[in-house]
Amino acid sequence: MNKISKRSKILYLLVFAFIFGVCFLCITLISNAETWALKRANQHIYDKGQLISAGTIYDRNGVVLAETVDGERIFNENKTIRCATLHCVGDLSGFIATGAHTAFKSQLTGYSLINGVYNIERDGEDKDLHLTIDASLCADAYNALGKNNGTIGVYNYETGEILCMVSKPTFDINNKPKDIDTDDTGKYDGIYINRFLSGVFTPGSTFKVVTAACAIENIPDIDSRTFTCTGSYKTSTGVVKCNGVHGTLTFETALNHSCNSAFAQIADELGNEKLTATAEELGFNKRIQVDGINVAKSYFDLTGAVSVDRGWAGIGQYTTLANPCHMVTLMGAIASNGTTPSPHILENSSSFFSIGSSTIRYMDLTTATKLSDMLRSNVENYYGDKKFPNLEMCGKTGTAEVSEKEPHTWFVGFSRRTDTPFAIVVVLENSGGTGIGNAVPVANKVMQSAITLS
Amino acid sequence: MSGAKWLPTLILITAFQVISVGQIAFTDSGINMRIISVFGAYIAIEWIYTITSSIIRKKASPALEFIAFFLTGIGLLIVASVNEKLLVTQFIAFTLGFFCFMFLLWLISDMDRAMFMRTPMAIAAVGLLIITLIFAKNIHGAYNWIGIGSFSFQPSELVKIAFIFVGAAALDKLQSTRSLTKYIIFAVVCIALLFLMRDLGTALIFFFTFLILAFMRSGDIRTLILVCVAAAMGAALIVLVKSDYVIRRFSIYRHIWENMDGSGYQQTRVLIYSVSGGLFGVGIGNGKLKDIFAATEDLVFGVLCEEWGIIMGILVILCFALIATHSIKCAVGCRYAFYTIASVAAGGLLLFQASLNVFGVTDLLPLTGVTLPFISRGGSSAISCWALLAFIKAADNRTWLGSRYNAEVVE
């Protein structure tokens, strides 16, 4: 009998297994809590697949972009603002992955592991989201885009706030096109994508800023060099065409005129390794985040590239792709001595999401100062300050050739005025024309609006 | 004298129940007298039983019953908040179970009487299962319900009691090979019948209980036979598993999110709503899981987590570990091997069933559709759970100290 008594201890095995299982269950529940609780099937939060209970989303001036009234989600009453802020605010069904309704779902709904959904049906300041964007600036940017698709972003390089973030094509959330998911003419292509955060485009001549940075760091006598442009640059493996015949140029005037011959030559001289190293220092192939939202990586790869490829890459063609949000932070860094605050769109973001470092360092002070002066020279001596009145603007245009379609036109730049520390990126998708002709006026409109609003 | 020991615990349990009932019974639309009277009766039973038993069995510890009262109370509270119409039925089932507990305790207090009962019990159990198989209603894929008029019950739950009873009795003392063989046949028949009813969950529980019983008997040549039979059953299990119904259940295992609105519906909803409650719950009656099929039965753990909070959910399921540990403690130094074996088997059965339920609905184990002991709504289940407690209670020597059976203990 004693023997049998001892055997009863076998049951401890089951007890231990059970307790192990319970611990495992706790870990599983805790680590997946947010994902599971915010599933669309959760009727505490969703009704018929639509987010019902969530806090109010405000812009930087307290303008309501979305709020819940009597269990229904209401958006801003102005159609232009709704269209302009669609990608920033997001939809209720989660199609726009980077929109606030999806990306900041847990904060908006008030869900937390500790209180669960307990706060959801209760109103409270803590569920509200205050965005750094300015709704009327977005509306102005949206209007400035006109018929073009593309994106405009304005970023304060002193604070890291994103003031404007507009992406087109877009739609009115109160009047979603019926054929949006069935259309095959392509007019809604990528309509759910926020091009500022998730888009990547061939950068064209805006990439010359990177090539220039590499030259400043690696060619000591770059300023005393001269380049001769005959309309193209010949390498042993092919020819890089220029947009004109520029004759004799210095490093600075080569950038002013955006001379392909000169920059292809510089890129060729620098070589694959140095170009790649600088591009990566300047944020290519690297991930940045905006309040926890992953921004699409800019892409630069010269693996196995021969001299003509390198030449094209040096002027922003070849396989290179740039993300607008990344480019605008790069401008911010040039404007502020090489280091720029991480971009964010939540006003109180520091307390919530700042897991990574709060600043991004792209280059040293010398390079930043030099580039800043060169970009200033572009506007001052080439585009003309008339095109950017009262801004002390610095910048670079780009006309990016893409296969089988009209080129994208770009403008990236920033105001050097200390009271308007804004950097801007404009991408007009397949707009045709040139950066100077198309993107510059759009950038100016938005910048003028930005300085009056501030 | 021993009263001082149990009083604070019982007061705490009662306070917990009174506060919870308050939340359910007092609503904007008035006071629900049905809920108040049922819980009034329930709390009265708790106190009358504890006081009476402290007088009759002076040395007995009511710890085990307290755990069961606590769990049953939560089950009743959940029924009251989700489907108040079924509360009275569930309460009656508990009362029946409670009487079964006391009756069984009396029955096995005399070993001669217990030994005498073993054959009739075995015959009754097999008979009941056969009747079930013949007259069963198909409810949700399994043929394990019998209906008499508007009243229906699940005989396999009651057979659990007989299974342990017969098993412990057959293995007690030195039995002849013949009686052991008889028991093995009995076990095989029971499990086979459950398979035929497609009640896989209960069959697994029986099989597990059989393994415990077999182990308790090990060290003996007969163990080999038991193990062989176990292996054969395992093989049979694999063969029988190849029915569509079971395959469907197993194929979804660890893939519930891929089929959220199909075969993974119940588990995904349990997980979604379990975490929705956070650590402290959304409050009794405020949950959403209660609207989903089988919320108060198989999915009750999810309701518990959602409405009462994850902490409460975990504490409640840890109670089953406590019952099992208690059954091991009691099993040491019993008057008869019968008590030792039955106690461990009952404790193991309850914990195993709780594991299958909790880990099944949370997708850590395949879903087998068994109930959570004491808490899930269901009359047959309530009766069998309480009756099984008698086996553990009987193994606790303190139960008999100071009673007329005391003499045997001394001896």
Side-chain angles (χ1 to χ4, degrees), chain B residues 79-123:
Chain B
V79 172
S81 77
V82 175
N83 197 343
E84 176 237 325
K85 285 188 206 109
L86 300 170
L87 181 61
V88 175
T89 321
Q90 187 60 24
F91 175 71
I92 292 170
F94 152 73
T95 324
L96 285 174
F98 192 62
F99 280 114
C100 283
F101 163 72
M102 292 190 288
F103 175 74
L104 199 59
L105 196 55
W106 167 80
L107 188 74
I108 60 180
S109 63
D110 182 337
M111 202 38 61
D112 294 336
R113 191 162 53 210
M115 286 300 161
F116 172 77
M117 283 305 291
R118 119 184 101 101
T119 314
M121 273 251 194
I123 293 167

Side-chain angles (χ1 to χ4, degrees), chain A residues 99-304:
Chain A
H101 277 127
T102 304
F104 308 123
K105 201 151 62 164
S106 63
Q107 199 192 334
L108 264 181
T109 54
Y111 176 80
S112 73
L113 172 68
I114 294 175
N115 291 314
V117 296
Y118 186 76
N119 288 326
I120 281 181
E121 273 138 49
R122 285 156 192 81
D123 291 324
E125 283 276 307
D126 53 336
K127 279 163 54 179
D128 295 345
L129 275 190
H130 293 268
L131 302 182
T132 59
I133 61 160
D134 183 315
S136 31
L137 180 58
C138 289
D140 290 345
Y142 173 75
N143 288 330
L145 275 171
K147 284 180 186 156
N148 293 302
N149 281 340
T151 180
I152 297 176
V154 179
Y155 157 80
N156 181 322
Y157 55 79
E158 274 182 3
T159 60
E161 294 165 320
I162 294 171
L163 302 172
C164 164
M165 174 160 91
V166 172
S167 176
K168 258 187 86 183
T170 181
F171 61 90
D172 178 4
I173 188 100
N174 283 359
N175 197 7
K176 191 176 174 179
K178 296 248 170 354
D179 55 345
I180 196 163
D181 297 319
T182 53
D183 176 82
D184 52 8
T185 63
K187 62 178 168 177
Y188 301 132
D189 269 3
I191 197 163
Y192 296 126
I193 292 169
N194 183 343
R195 283 158 164 70
F196 179 72
L197 297 175
S198 311
V200 282
F201 301 89
T202 305
S205 298
T206 56
F207 189 81
K208 283 173 186 155
V209 175
V210 179
T211 311
C214 187
I216 294 165
E217 285 168 2
N218 294 292
I219 306 175
D221 63 338
I222 188 72
D223 277 323
S224 54
R225 294 271 190 100
T226 55
F227 306 89
T228 310
C229 171
T230 57
S232 64
Y233 170 70
K234 291 184 184 63
T235 71
S236 54
T237 46
V239 174
V240 177
K241 278 188 186 157
C242 191
N243 46 8
V245 181
H246 297 112
T248 306
L249 298 160
T250 63
F251 182 45
E252 185 175 317
T253 53
L255 189 68
N256 291 163
H257 291 269
S258 198
C259 176
N260 291 350
S261 306
F263 274 85
Q265 187 188 334
I266 294 170
D268 199 13
E269 183 184 332
L270 286 165
N272 290 353
E273 256 176 50
K274 284 176 182 162
L275 270 178
T276 307
T278 304
E280 293 193 343
E281 265 169 46
L282 265 47
F284 281 79
N285 302 333
K286 286 198 180 129
R287 174 83 71 203
I288 53 172
Q289 288 196 327
V290 174
D291 295 315
I293 302 172
N294 280 332
V295 172
K297 278 186 204 170
S298 292
Y299 177 79
F300 187 77
D301 183 13
L302 287 182
T303 315

Side-chain angles (χ1 to χ4, degrees), chain A residues 1 7 42 44 111 114 117, chain B residues 216 218 275-276 279 306 334:
Chain A
M1 195 158 81
R7 284 179 203 141
N42 191 339
H44 286 292
Y111 176 80
I114 294 175
V117 296
Chain B
M216 295 304 285
S218 78
V275 292
S276 289
L279 299 184
E306 185 191 16
C334 296

Side-chain angles (χ1 to χ4, degrees), chain B residues 164-185:
Chain B
I164 291 182
F165 190 103
V166 177
L171 301 174
D172 184 41
K173 295 185 180 169
L174 283 172
Q175 291 297 318
S176 66
T177 317
R178 245 182 77 219
S179 82
L180 194 66
T181 317
K182 273 187 203 159
Y183 176 64
I184 294 170
I185 294 168

Side-chain angles (χ1 to χ4, degrees), chain A residues 1 4-5 7-8 11-12 14 18 21-22 24-26 33 36-37 39 41-44 111 113-114 116-117, chain B residues 208 215-216 218 257 272-273 275-276 278-279 282 288 306 314 317 327 331 333-335 344 348 351 355 359 362 364:
Chain A
M1 195 158 81
I4 290 180
S5 289
R7 284 179 203 141
S8 61
L11 197 53
Y12 278 123
L14 181 68
F18 179 77
V22 170
F24 189 75
L25 176 64
C26 290
W36 289 345
K39 289 267 181 195
N42 191 339
Q43 297 193 349
H44 286 292
Y111 176 80
L113 172 68
I114 294 175
V117 296
Chain B
F208 176 81
F215 180 81
M216 295 304 285
S218 78
W257 297 105
I272 286 172
Y273 291 120
V275 292
S276 289
L279 299 184
V282 293
K288 300 277 186 191
E306 185 191 16
I314 299 298
I317 57 172
S327 79
C334 296
R335 286 185 294 156
V344 174
L351 183 59
S355 310
F359 301 141
T362 52
L364 299 184

Side-chain angles (χ1 to χ4, degrees), chain B residues 241-398:
Chain B
V241 150
K242 295 199 176 206
S243 81
D244 283 352
Y245 164 73
V246 177
I247 281 181
R248 239 186 306 129
R249 282 200 161 177
F250 274 88
S251 64
I252 196 68
Y253 175 53
R254 301 311 280 173
H255 294 283
I256 54 168
W257 297 105
E258 291 144 43
N259 205 349
M260 272 182 73
D261 297 317
S263 37
Y265 187 80
Q266 288 184 316
Q267 295 102 309
T268 50
R269 295 320 185 266
V270 165
L271 292 176
I272 286 172
Y273 291 120
S274 292
V275 292
S276 289
L279 299 184
F280 309 109
V282 293
I284 306 170
N286 297 334
K288 300 277 186 191
L289 185 63
K290 62 175 188 212
D291 301 330
I292 284 165
F293 173 73
T296 53
E297 291 90 28
D298 297 10
L299 312 188
V300 75
F301 176 69
V303 176
L304 195 59
C305 286
E306 185 191 16
E307 299 191 1
W308 305 59
I310 290 177
I311 292 179
M312 190 64 174
I314 299 298
L315 285 179
V316 163
I317 57 172
L318 284 178
C319 286
F320 293 102
L322 220 55
I323 293 177
T325 315
H326 189 83
S327 79
I328 303 168
K329 290 246 160 77
C330 293
V332 178
C334 296
R335 286 185 294 156
Y336 303 108
F338 175 91
Y339 291 160
T340 306
I341 296 169
S343 170
V344 174
L349 187 152
L350 289 170
L351 183 59
F352 185 72
Q353 185 174 337
S355 310
L356 282 188
N357 174 276
V358 171
F359 301 141
V361 293
T362 52
D363 201 36
L364 299 184
L365 288 179
L367 187 68
T368 40
V370 301
T371 56
L372 187 60
F374 300 106
I375 299 178
S376 287
R377 192 184 67 79
S380 329
S381 167
I383 293 171
S384 87
C385 291
W386 272 95
L388 288 174
L389 279 191
F391 291 126
I392 304 174
K393 186 75 185 165
D396 189 345
N397 278 334
R398 291 171 294 183

